[in-house]
Amino acid sequence: MTSKPPVRRLLGTESSLADRCRVYRTADALEVDLVDHYDIRRRRVFFDEVELVTLHSRRGLRGGVAVFGLMALSTGVAWQIVRSDPLSGAILLGLTLGLAALAVAAAFCPVWIVTVFGKRTRARMRFNLRPGKARSVYTEMCAAAVSAQEALLSAEMAPSERPPGLPPPLPEPDSPP
Amino acid sequence: MSEPSVPPAARRRGGVYSGPACPRCGAAVDLTFLEPGEQICPVCLDPYVATPFHPPEPRRPAVERLAEAGPGGAVPCGVHAGNAAVANCSRCGVFMCSLCRIEIDGQELCPSCFDRLSSEGVLSSARNRVRDYRGLSLSLGLLGSLLCLFGLLTGPLTLYTVFRAVQQKREMNEKGGTVSLIVAALLGLMQIGLSIAMIVGMAE
């Protein structure tokens, strides 16, 4: 006695050193899959319970610091190896410089974050170097919340208590909030 | 009695959820006067774009009393004898009033059938804990590739987890995520091939 569940589409992820989250969209909710070792704990933010949708950007300083730490460690090892074996040391030093470039890029590249706050839980998605995608997800979430809440209202409540319409247009992509 | 304050760091970690907050610092946001558009957090003074909503409270279902339904007009609910039944359970067929009826995955279930099916994991919409076979297959694929000596053990295991991940993907009706499964399957096959080549090489 099983029925086919609604289609799930991966919208975004949120990963840190400790946690990994994947956020999927279904017909009536966002499903937040929190990966705990090899188990997935699932929470849902229903569109008819959404209270706030936000979009902001920030620099990926934390990732940059983590990679910089690795780079410093690698430099120390490379320096010791250069003394005994110049070729291997040079290769390791090249890798270290690559990591350094990565650290600088990670520290200065903006990360765009969309957060959907529900009544009982929230979903957060990060988009590295993809402001257009973050904006489209933000708009999609607002539209989904509006349509779900309007549907609930029209089914249950008077028209005077309707939620606000679609969000105002977003600022230009060149001026991150 | 005032509510206990939640430190912003705890909010950010996701351990405690206490409603809408500034996405940067975690300070609580009052939605009453929030207008859609650009906002400045009064605590951290950083900007963000926000759209507030005022979701309606779902109305409780109207329960029809058996006495109000008139003679011969209704059947009593199997649990609440005073309430008129509005549906049959899709699984056991018991009469249910609107208090007992649970609509999920296209079925109408009574509370006891819902409890049973959700504890068995049959209702996909009620499932909150699942095994991450995709992550498991990728980890096994990568780990097994490093330990080629055990490829005849880890290779089939990788392929098995890929198979389970594909099954799970179909069950959840999930779109995307195929590339990682193909990579894991190729790694599993490579492990088996390398192990066989090593064994043949040693035999010769």
Side-chain angles (χ1 to χ4, degrees), chain A residues 1-8 22 24 35-36 38-42 44 48-58 115 117-122 124 138 142 145-146 149 152-153 156-157 164 167-168 170-171 177, chain B residues 11-12 14 17 19-21 23-24 31 34 36-38 47-59 90-91 105 107 109 117 122 124-132 134-136 139 171-175:
Chain A
M1 194 164 125
T2 55
S3 60
K4 196 157 181 142
V7 175
R8 299 176 91 218
R22 295 195 287 257
Y24 293 86
V35 182
D36 179 14
Y38 294 109
D39 278 336
I40 292 174
R41 278 184 288 135
R42 185 167 296 158
R44 291 181 181 88
D48 55 13
E49 291 186 351
V50 168
E51 292 188 324
L52 183 69
V53 183
T54 65
L55 169 72
H56 72 284
S57 74
R58 71 168 196 209
T115 316
F117 295 90
K119 278 184 182 171
R120 291 171 282 184
T121 185
R122 70 163 167 78
R124 176 169 279 185
Y138 173 81
C142 291
V146 165
Q149 293 179 16
L152 188 64
L153 264 181
E156 297 189 349
M157 290 190 175
L170 291 166
Chain B
R11 281 171 177 270
R12 279 198 299 272
Y17 181 74
R24 290 178 181 273
L31 296 179
L34 199 70
E38 283 207 46
Y48 62 92
V49 181
T51 305
F53 297 91
H54 302 285
E57 290 293 331
R59 189 173 284 177
S90 308
R91 184 171 174 269
D105 290 351
Q107 302 174 52
L109 298 171
L117 292 180
V122 177
S124 58
S125 301
R127 210 180 296 160
N128 285 327
R129 206 173 178 95
V130 287
R131 178 73 71 191
D132 183 18
R134 182 186 300 161
L136 199 58
S139 298
E171 272 172 26
M172 290 182 184
N173 206 3
E174 204 173 296
K175 301 288 174 203

Side-chain angles (χ1 to χ4, degrees), chain A residues 60 109-112 126-131:
Chain A
C109 286
V111 180
W112 292 79
R126 288 168 193 263
F127 301 94
N128 297 308
L129 296 170
R130 288 183 296 165

Side-chain angles (χ1 to χ4, degrees), chain B residues 38 60 74-75 77 79 81 83 91 99 128 155 158 164:
Chain B
E38 283 207 46
R60 289 178 180 278
V75 183
C77 168
V79 179
N83 294 349
R91 184 171 174 269
L99 282 180
N128 285 327
T158 307
R164 291 301 305 266

Side-chain angles (χ1 to χ4, degrees), chain A residues 35-106:
Chain A
V35 182
D36 179 14
H37 295 96
Y38 294 109
D39 278 336
I40 292 174
R41 278 184 288 135
R42 185 167 296 158
R43 302 186 314 233
R44 291 181 181 88
V45 182
F46 291 96
F47 291 132
D48 55 13
E49 291 186 351
V50 168
E51 292 188 324
L52 183 69
V53 183
T54 65
L55 169 72
H56 72 284
S57 74
R58 71 168 196 209
R59 308 282 171 196
L61 282 173
R62 269 189 256 174
V65 168
V67 181
F68 190 81
L70 278 176
M71 187 204 68
L73 196 72
S74 177
T75 307
V77 175
W79 186 249
Q80 293 297 322
I81 293 175
V82 160
R83 289 180 180 174
S84 57
D85 185 356
L87 183 65
S88 307
I91 291 170
L92 200 58
L93 214 58
L95 282 175
T96 306
L97 287 175
L99 279 175
L102 203 67
V104 170

